């Protein structure tokens, strides 16, 4: 008898931020709360396959030596296993991140905002004047030009500010009480591109030293070696700014040299998931003065390497999984991972044993490959419906396009298979984790090779699984770039019985002036300017809205009302165009109080209602 597993958003508890201290294993355990309609993370200890909640509603945790620190609201505490925890920092304003040092000093960043909440209702609102090219950001709102970041130091004796700025300061590491690593924005909000640089603040001399050079566009992570002689950092250079792989760099203080350590795989590339509530905090870690561990994204999964200062790099783990975090020492080596059938597991790399997995096993995705028309090998995954009978198939298209599906848990796919649908998901040309050339292949070629890859991959799944796939009932769903591809596809084929486009791009010209990234994204990705006639012609013909008269596929549009990446007007315009020129069935559903990432981190009740609406739409078009 086939048993159907019905995944529930409120029963998924992903782990992150792994730390092993003095024989104890700690992590953050995150989950959605149904009554409160929010997400929280708890500090837990993992032991003997079980867990104990130590502190509830923790913002972040950090470790230094054998001491664990955690943040609750705007207070930072030192955790004591056998005594009351000690409050070491208390702030009235928001703490964005912090780093403890080996002397007990805490370095941290605060953010003071005049307008801390989007759509804040005031009794007497004032005017908002916009004078810069970049003035809004998805998942945040309109940029507060009066905000201030403060980089602070808290010792046992005093608290003082060492750096302040009106643009973001991101604290990355600290060495003893003498040196601090952080990034600062080097461009104004009126610049076409936003760059940052890696800076060391030297406490005794009260001066800063720039580590990254002009060829570096953005540093995302950095860490001192155990002796402070070197810094490893993850960064993108200024080539292909919107679609550049991240590389690993080393800076040596004694020689004042900066060199690339590893550039053949993307060090910061993750795998798209809708269950990782706390994102990965690190992709590298020093083991001692000379050796380090780092992680990459490779062909839809994670890889783990060990490197040393001689330049030697050795692959030590290459499994079908997404590594969420890792912990290494002389006595242990562990990874937190997610797979297509397990939301979260703790694995001992020495014994290969599963140390912790509180979840039941869900159906696993079957990976397959096929040849693109240019003979490139394309990765794809097939998740069969849980009833094990012949059923409809959904082609699900990822966003980006510079993103990747892969070997990680995806709640929505599990929900769709429980509802009786087969799911196919593919990494077409343009996806990450396959190298720079593969990512670049979609540039100036949206709706071409990428579109054909998706249809070829779907055909391959249908051929391989005729006993499970009813080829007369094919559907297409996607979000963001996937929404673009969904609306593009139904303008160019009639093979799908119905479609669901979420937060799509349907009109490139409109996006140029309304998206928080439109001013640079379109120029970088499409290779033309919307402000000259030839560019406008290209953008029109690459826009799904240009093909609404040929659409014969019923389509459901889902869009967050707060979305600033692909604003609601993209779906509204497409909806109106279909209504004005076509009699095909179309419905637009607006999700209130929702940003671009509503399907991954939106209000939990809306995520539930969204799935129910999608199910109703699909059932209506059998």
């Amino acid at each position: 008898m086939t048993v159907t597993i019905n995944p529930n958003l409120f029963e998924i508890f992903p782990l992150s931020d792994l730390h092993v201290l003095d024989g104890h294993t700690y992590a953050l355990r995150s989950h959605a709360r149904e009554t409160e309609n929010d997400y929280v993370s708890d500090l837990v200890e993992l032991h003997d396959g079980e867990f104990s909640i130590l502190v509830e509603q923790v913002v972040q945790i950090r470790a230094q030596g054998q001491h664990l620190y955690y943040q609750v609201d705007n207070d930072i505490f030192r955790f004591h296993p056998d005594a009351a925890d000690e409050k070491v920092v208390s702030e009235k304003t928001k703490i964005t991140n912090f780093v403890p040092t080996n002397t007990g000093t805490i370095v941290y960043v605060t953010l003071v905002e005049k307008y801390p909440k989007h759509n804040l209702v005031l009794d007497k609102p004032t005017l908002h004047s916009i004078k810069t090219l970049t003035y809004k950001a998805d998942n945040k709102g309109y940029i507060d030009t009066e905000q201030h970041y403060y980089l602070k130091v808290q010792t046992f004796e005093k608290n003082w500010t060492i750096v302040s700025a009106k643009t973001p300061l991101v604290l990355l590491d600290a060495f003893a009480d003498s040196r601090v690593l952080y990034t600062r924005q080097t461009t104004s909000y009126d610049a076409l591109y936003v760059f940052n640089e890696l800076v060391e603040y030297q406490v005794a001399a009260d001066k800063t030293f720039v580590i990254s050079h002009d060829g570096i566009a953005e540093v995302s992570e950095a860490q001192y070696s155990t002796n402070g002689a070197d810094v490893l950092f993850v960064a993108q250079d200024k080539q292909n700014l919107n679609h550049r792989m991240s590389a690993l760099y080393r800076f040596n203080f004694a020689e004042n040299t900066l060199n690339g350590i590893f550039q053949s795989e993307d060090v910061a590339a993750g795998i798209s998931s809708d269950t990782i509530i706390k994102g990965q905090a690190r992709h590298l870690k020093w083991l001692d003065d000379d050796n380090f561990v780092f992680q990459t994204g490779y062909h839809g999964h994670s890889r783990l390497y060990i490197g040393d200062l001689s330049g030697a790099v050795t692959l030590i783990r290459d499994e079908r999984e997404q590594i969420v975090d890792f912990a290494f020492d002389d006595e242990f080596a562990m990874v937190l991972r997610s797979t297509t059938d397990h939301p979260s597991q703790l694995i001992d790399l020495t014994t290969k044993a599963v140390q912790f997995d509180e979840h039941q096993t869900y159906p696993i995705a079957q990976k397959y490959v096929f040849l693109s028309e240019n003979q490139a090998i394309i990765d794809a995954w097939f998740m069969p419906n849980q009833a094990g009978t012949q059923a409809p198939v959904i082609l699900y298209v990822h966003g980006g396009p510079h993103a990747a599906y892969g070997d990680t848990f995806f709640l929505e796919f599990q929900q769709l298979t429980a509802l009786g649908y087969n799911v196919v998901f593919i990494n077409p040309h343009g996806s990450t984790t396959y190298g720079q050339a593969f990512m670049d292949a979609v540039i100036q070629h949206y709706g071409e090779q990428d579109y054909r890859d998706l249809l070829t991959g779907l055909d391959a799944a249908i051929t391989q699984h005729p006993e499970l796939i009813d080829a007369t009932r094919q559907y297409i769903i996607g979000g963001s770039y996937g929404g673009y591809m969904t609306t593009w596809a139904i303008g160019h084929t009639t093979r799908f019985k119905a479609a669901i486009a979420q937060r799509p791009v349907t009109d490139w010209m409109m996006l140029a002036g309304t998206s928080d990234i439109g001013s640079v994204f379109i120029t970088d990705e499409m290779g033309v300017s919307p402000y000259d006639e030839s560019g406008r012609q290209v953008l029109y013909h690459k826009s799904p809205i240009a093909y609404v008269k040929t659409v014969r596929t019923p389509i459901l549009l889902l869009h967050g009302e707060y979305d600033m990446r692909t604003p609601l007007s993209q779906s509204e315009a497409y909806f109106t165009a279909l209504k004005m020129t076509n009699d095909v069935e179309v419905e637009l559903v607006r999700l209130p109080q929702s940003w671009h990432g509503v399907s991954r981190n939106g209000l939990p009740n809306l995520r539930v209602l969204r799935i129910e609406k999608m199910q109703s739409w699909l059932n209506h078009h059998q």
Side-chain angles (χ1 to χ4, degrees):
M1 182 178 71
T2 301
V3 177
T4 299
I5 301 173
N6 293 305
N8 186 324
L9 172 63
F10 304 104
E11 296 175 356
I12 303 294
F13 301 91
L15 298 172
S16 62
D17 289 311
L18 177 65
H19 297 278
V20 181
L21 305 174
D22 196 24
H24 297 270
T25 303
Y26 303 100
L28 285 182
R29 179 178 181 266
S30 303
H31 60 102
R33 299 191 298 180
E34 187 169 10
T35 301
E36 296 83 355
N37 202 31
D38 63 4
Y39 302 92
V40 295
S41 299
D42 301 326
L43 172 60
V44 299
E45 182 177 356
L46 309 175
H47 48 84
D48 302 321
E50 304 292 333
F51 74 93
S52 301
I53 297 178
L54 303 177
V55 185
E56 295 182 336
Q57 299 186 44
V58 170
V59 178
Q60 55 187 321
I61 59 177
R62 298 287 185 268
Q64 177 56 243
Q66 295 302 311
H67 294 287
L68 187 69
Y69 297 79
Y70 63 88
Q71 178 185 343
V72 175
D73 295 325
N74 294 314
D75 298 324
I76 300 172
F77 296 83
R78 182 182 292 113
F79 174 73
H80 293 284
D82 304 315
D85 296 345
E86 176 188 2
K87 185 186 293 187
V88 293
V89 172
S90 183
E91 282 282 347
K92 295 180 180 179
T93 56
K94 181 179 180 180
I95 296 177
T96 61
N97 57 341
F98 74 94
V99 172
T101 73
N102 58 1
T103 64
T105 294
I106 307 295
V107 185
Y108 62 100
V109 174
T110 63
L111 171 60
V112 178
E113 299 173 290
K114 185 174 182 179
Y115 305 102
K117 185 178 180 181
H118 183 61
N119 277 358
L120 184 66
V121 177
L122 302 173
D123 292 335
K124 293 183 178 180
T126 186
L127 303 178
H128 287 187
S129 178
I130 296 171
K131 297 181 179 180
T132 58
L133 181 63
T134 300
Y135 60 90
K136 59 184 177 180
D138 190 67
N139 206 40
K140 181 176 176 63
Y142 293 100
I143 293 173
D144 184 355
T145 56
E146 297 184 43
Q147 68 184 6
H148 273 85
Y149 291 83
Y150 298 91
L151 180 55
K152 298 185 174 184
V153 175
Q154 173 74 61
T155 67
F156 293 109
E157 294 83 18
K158 63 176 181 176
N159 179 296
W160 76 97
T161 299
I162 57 176
V163 178
S164 65
K166 297 186 71 173
T167 52
L169 298 174
V170 180
L171 174 64
L172 299 175
D173 200 9
F175 187 78
D177 288 344
S178 58
R179 300 153 70 190
V180 177
L181 280 179
Y182 66 96
T183 59
R184 64 187 178 195
Q185 189 170 306
T186 58
T187 51
S188 73
Y189 286 121
D190 212 28
L192 189 60
Y193 295 97
V194 176
F195 299 143
N196 72 17
E197 63 186 3
L198 179 61
V199 179
E200 179 184 67
Y201 176 76
Q202 299 164 355
V203 177
D206 188 25
K207 68 177 184 179
T208 56
F209 173 75
V210 177
I211 292 174
S212 55
H213 55 62
D214 288 343
I216 300 294
E218 184 175 16
V219 177
S220 57
E221 187 175 351
Q223 192 176 100
Y224 284 110
S225 60
T226 53
N227 61 4
D230 294 271
V231 168
L232 286 179
F233 66 92
V234 179
Q236 295 172 309
D237 63 28
K238 291 182 179 177
Q239 301 180 62
N240 310 317
L241 287 169
N242 186 62
H243 47 95
R244 184 61 172 165
M245 289 170 49
S246 292
L248 183 63
Y249 295 85
R250 172 205 175 190
F251 180 82
N252 178 264
F253 287 97
E255 299 177 1
N256 194 29
T257 54
L258 175 60
N259 297 295
I261 292 287
F262 191 85
Q263 298 172 308
S264 57
E265 296 171 20
D266 197 329
V267 179
I271 314 301
S272 296
S273 171
D274 60 353
T275 57
I276 299 176
I277 296 170
K278 282 288 185 181
Q280 188 166 349
R282 60 186 172 191
H283 298 84
L284 64 93
K285 179 177 175 57
W286 285 91
L287 300 178
D288 52 39
D289 295 348
D290 300 304
N291 300 281
F292 49 88
V293 181
F294 66 96
Q295 175 188 331
T296 69
Y298 181 79
H299 291 210
H301 65 271
S302 301
R303 278 179 158 182
L304 207 57
Y305 289 87
I306 282 184
D308 62 39
L309 295 184
S310 72
V313 172
T314 303
L315 179 65
I316 61 171
R317 188 168 179 84
D318 187 16
E319 302 290 335
R320 288 187 53 190
E321 64 191 5
Q322 178 175 16
I323 296 175
V324 179
D325 206 350
F326 51 85
F328 281 76
D329 205 338
D330 294 337
E331 300 178 356
F332 59 82
M334 296 183 181
V335 296
L336 281 176
R337 75 171 189 174
S338 172
T339 63
T340 60
D341 55 336
H342 288 273
S344 200
Q345 289 181 311
L346 176 64
I347 307 293
D348 186 320
L349 297 187
T350 302
T351 65
K352 311 298 182 184
V354 178
Q355 295 292 315
F356 182 82
D357 183 359
E358 66 180 289
H359 303 282
Q360 62 193 115
T361 300
Y362 292 88
I364 191 170
Q366 304 169 21
K367 187 174 183 178
Y368 67 99
V369 299
F370 62 92
L371 286 180
S372 181
E373 63 185 34
N374 65 354
Q375 301 305 298
I377 297 175
I378 306 297
D379 284 342
W381 289 259
F382 173 70
M383 290 193 72
N385 72 90
Q386 292 191 33
T389 59
Q390 194 176 63
V393 62
I394 294 171
L395 171 62
Y396 215 119
V397 188
H398 70 60
H402 309 303
Y405 282 143
D407 297 306
T408 192
F409 192 80
F410 212 101
L411 175 63
E412 185 174 335
F413 296 166
Q414 297 286 350
Q415 291 172 319
L416 290 170
T417 64
L419 293 173
Y421 295 90
N422 300 293
V423 179
V424 170
F425 49 105
I426 299 168
N427 284 338
H429 280 80
S431 301
T432 56
T433 77
Y434 299 91
Q436 191 65 52
F438 192 86
M439 197 172 4
D440 291 347
V442 76
I443 304 303
Q444 301 182 38
H445 296 288
Y446 276 50
E448 300 175 29
Q449 183 68 69
D450 50 350
Y451 168 64
R452 295 190 292 272
D453 285 348
L454 292 164
L455 298 190
T456 302
L458 178 57
D459 289 338
I462 293 171
T463 299
Q464 292 175 27
H465 302 283
E467 77 288 359
L468 291 173
I469 296 177
D470 178 357
T472 67
R473 291 184 289 170
Q474 301 177 40
Y475 303 88
I476 184 169
I477 304 176
S480 194
Y481 163 80
Y484 162 83
M485 188 53 69
T486 297
T487 52
W488 179 265
I490 64 173
H492 292 79
T493 181
T494 59
R495 69 183 288 172
F496 298 107
K497 287 187 68 69
I500 302 175
Q502 306 165 87
R503 55 201 184 275
V505 174
T506 65
D507 186 334
W508 290 111
M509 275 293 299
M510 186 188 304
L511 191 80
T514 58
S515 169
D516 64 338
I517 61 171
S519 56
V520 295
F521 185 86
I522 290 174
T523 303
D524 289 344
E525 295 289 306
M526 310 305 288
V528 298
S529 169
Y531 305 113
D532 59 57
E533 182 59 33
S534 61
R536 286 193 290 272
Q537 287 298 316
V538 170
L539 294 178
Y540 175 75
H541 290 294
K542 285 294 183 181
S543 294
I545 203 167
Y547 305 95
V548 290
K549 291 183 179 180
T550 65
V551 173
R552 300 293 179 266
T553 307
I555 181 166
L556 172 67
L557 299 161
L558 297 170
H559 219 121
E561 292 183 350
Y562 285 0
D563 195 332
M564 290 185 171
R565 184 62 40 86
T566 58
L568 176 60
S569 56
Q570 291 288 316
S571 283
E572 290 176 326
Y574 193 76
F575 173 84
T576 302
L578 282 175
K579 283 291 190 181
M580 294 293 291
T581 65
N582 203 317
D583 60 1
V584 70
E585 185 180 359
V586 58
E587 182 177 352
L588 169 60
V589 174
R590 300 160 60 112
L591 287 80
Q593 302 174 56
S594 298
W595 302 96
H596 191 67
V598 58
S599 62
R600 301 180 297 272
N601 52 32
L603 291 171
N605 77 302
L606 291 179
R607 291 180 63 181
V608 172
L609 291 173
R610 171 181 157 274
I611 291 294
E612 292 175 353
K613 182 62 184 180
M614 292 170 66
Q615 178 187 8
S616 174
W617 181 261
L618 294 172
N619 290 345
H620 180 62
H621 295 93
Q622 293 292 318

